[in-house]
Amino acid sequence: MALKVSGILAITFVALCLVAAPAQAVDVLESQEDIVLTLERGTSHEFPLLLQNVDEISTLESAGDIEGWIGFWEDGENEYEIYPGQSYVQIVIDVPDDEDLGEYDGEVRWDGKTLSTISVKVTLELNDVMSYETLSDMDDDVGALQDRVELLTDGIIDLRTQVATLEYNMSEKVEEIYEYQKDLTELEKEKTELERKHEDLSEDYVELEEKYSEVSESNEELNALTGALAGTQVPGMFIGGLLAGVIAMAVIIRREEVKRKVKRKLSNSMDRSKKDEFKYSFGK
């Protein structure tokens, strides 16, 4: 009987201790106290949040800047009741598709206590990243094209400078050719004048030849006359022969003088033409 009473008292003591002992606080694993995620905007992400010391029915809730993004299980509610012995709850994070890029913070709380902080870094969608990469490649191509355009522009400037130099040199050459042509024109005029004078001298020479022939004929006639009078008129014959010789000598001297003048004129004209022909050079 005494043993039965002592056993009842022991059970009663244990029960009172259990009732009097305070309930342990709900907690999560240390590795899940601070959760950092990188998500594309417009996407969803799910993960289990492991719970410890769930001894009574209580409520979990989301809070912070992204309170509206954090939901429990698939229904996406921002509050969820947990029961004794429950070991985890599924967390669902929905990032709006029009959210600005940046970092945002939120929390999962139990009875006002922060069980886990959740930091979400919102990035571009993969398609947007690919578009930006494409734009970056295009920028690189544009930069390369700009470099080529600058090189071509420098080349065009050099070509224009060369063309301007060639045009200037060509202008000088044209001016030299013009002056040379003017000199040639003057030489042609002088040549024409010399040819005319040569023709005049030739006519004079022909005229002198004709006069020489006439004088020769006259001399022959005088010789014939003086020959007939040779026996009786020796002084007259001598005078006639002397006169004929003087006339012949005058004609010969005049003819030789005309020949020398013609040769001198022609020689001077040819020498001047040769000198002027090589007067101008077209090389620099």
Side-chain angles (χ1 to χ4, degrees), residues 208-223 243-249 251:
L208 288 174
E209 287 286 348
E210 290 177 353
K211 289 182 178 180
Y212 177 76
S213 298
E214 291 177 358
V215 170
S216 296
E217 291 177 358
S218 299
N219 187 32
E220 289 177 358
E221 290 177 357
L222 288 174
N223 286 333
L243 180 61
V246 171
I247 294 173
M249 287 298 295
V251 171

Side-chain angles (χ1 to χ4, degrees), residues 71-80 92:
F72 300 97
W73 300 98
E74 295 180 358
D75 57 8
E77 295 292 333
N78 300 115
E79 293 184 355
Y80 179 72
V92 180

Side-chain angles (χ1 to χ4, degrees), residues 8 21 57 61 86 102 172 217 225 232 267:
I8 293 172
I57 299 173
E61 61 182 1
Q86 188 167 348
E172 289 188 342
E217 291 177 358
L225 291 174
T232 58
S267 177

Side-chain angles (χ1 to χ4, degrees), residues 9 12 69-70 77 79 82 87 125 128-129 145-146 156 174 199 208 210 217 224 243-244 250 263 265 271 276 283:
L9 291 173
T12 302
W69 302 5
I70 302 174
E77 295 292 333
E79 293 184 355
I82 55 176
S87 59
E125 298 180 48
D128 293 337
V129 173
L145 288 174
Q146 288 177 343
I156 290 172
V174 169
E199 290 177 357
L208 288 174
E210 290 177 353
E217 291 177 358
L243 180 61
K263 288 182 179 180
K265 290 286 186 179
D271 291 340
D276 290 335

Side-chain angles (χ1 to χ4, degrees), residues 252-267:
I252 291 171
I253 292 171
R254 178 60 178 170
R255 183 177 65 180
E256 291 300 325
E257 183 180 355
V258 169
K259 285 183 178 181
R260 285 196 300 270
K261 287 183 178 181
V262 171
K263 288 182 179 180
R264 187 167 56 252
K265 290 286 186 179
L266 291 177
S267 177

Side-chain angles (χ1 to χ4, degrees), residues 20-277:
Q24 293 182 355
V26 176
D27 204 352
V28 297
L29 295 178
E30 184 177 354
S31 61
Q32 289 190 313
E33 289 179 357
D34 296 298
I35 299 174
V36 179
L37 301 173
T38 300
L39 302 175
E40 300 174 14
R41 59 185 178 186
T43 59
S44 297
H45 181 70
E46 298 181 8
F47 63 92
L49 182 65
L50 303 180
L51 303 175
Q52 295 177 331
N53 303 321
V54 180
D55 295 330
E56 62 181 10
I57 299 173
S58 56
T59 302
L60 298 178
E61 61 182 1
S62 61
D65 298 334
I66 56 174
E67 177 182 355
W69 302 5
I70 302 174
F72 300 97
W73 300 98
E74 295 180 358
D75 57 8
E77 295 292 333
N78 300 115
E79 293 184 355
Y80 179 72
E81 288 186 350
I82 55 176
Y83 295 88
Q86 188 167 348
S87 59
Y88 77 97
V89 61
Q90 191 76 3
I91 304 297
V92 180
I93 298 177
D94 292 318
V95 181
D97 55 7
D98 59 350
E99 189 60 51
D100 294 333
L101 305 181
E103 295 184 1
Y104 301 88
D105 295 323
E107 298 177 353
V108 175
R109 293 179 179 177
W110 171 81
D111 194 22
K113 171 189 174 183
T114 299
L115 295 179
S116 178
T117 60
I118 302 174
S119 297
V120 178
K121 182 179 181 180
V122 179
T123 63
L124 289 170
E125 298 180 48
L126 181 59
N127 291 336
D128 293 337
V129 173
M130 293 177 64
S131 298
Y132 275 102
E133 290 178 351
T134 302
L135 288 175
S136 178
D137 293 339
M138 291 179 65
D139 289 339
D140 293 339
D141 293 339
V142 170
L145 288 174
Q146 288 177 343
D147 292 339
R148 292 183 61 186
V149 168
E150 290 178 358
L151 291 175
L152 290 173
T153 301
D154 294 339
I156 290 172
I157 293 173
D158 292 339
L159 286 175
R160 287 179 176 174
T161 303
Q162 294 177 10
V163 169
T165 303
L166 289 174
E167 288 179 349
Y168 176 76
N169 293 335
M170 184 61 70
S171 298
E172 289 188 342
K173 293 299 182 183
V174 169
E175 185 67 24
E176 290 180 4
I177 292 172
Y178 174 72
E179 294 295 331
Y180 180 71
Q181 287 178 341
K182 285 174 61 178
D183 292 341
L184 286 178
T185 302
E186 295 297 327
L187 288 174
E188 288 290 337
K189 290 181 179 179
E190 291 183 6
K191 180 181 177 182
T192 302
E193 182 66 20
L194 289 173
E195 288 177 348
R196 186 185 63 79
K197 290 180 179 181
H198 176 69
E199 290 177 357
D200 293 341
L201 291 174
S202 298
E203 292 177 357
D204 293 340
Y205 178 76
V206 171
E207 184 178 352
L208 288 174
E209 287 286 348
E210 290 177 353
K211 289 182 178 180
Y212 177 76
S213 298
E214 291 177 358
V215 170
S216 296
E217 291 177 358
S218 299
N219 187 32
E220 289 177 358
E221 290 177 357
L222 288 174
N223 286 333
L225 291 174
T226 55
L229 298 174
T232 58
Q233 299 179 353
V234 174
M237 186 180 68
F238 176 77
I239 294 172
L242 182 60
L243 180 61
V246 171
I247 294 173
M249 287 298 295
V251 171
I252 291 171
I253 292 171
R254 178 60 178 170
R255 183 177 65 180
E256 291 300 325
E257 183 180 355
V258 169
K259 285 183 178 181
R260 285 196 300 270
K261 287 183 178 181
V262 171
K263 288 182 179 180
R264 187 167 56 252
K265 290 286 186 179
L266 291 177
S267 177
N268 291 337
S269 176
M270 293 301 292
D271 291 340
R272 185 172 180 182
S273 297
K274 289 181 179 179
K275 290 180 180 179
D276 290 335
E277 183 176 358

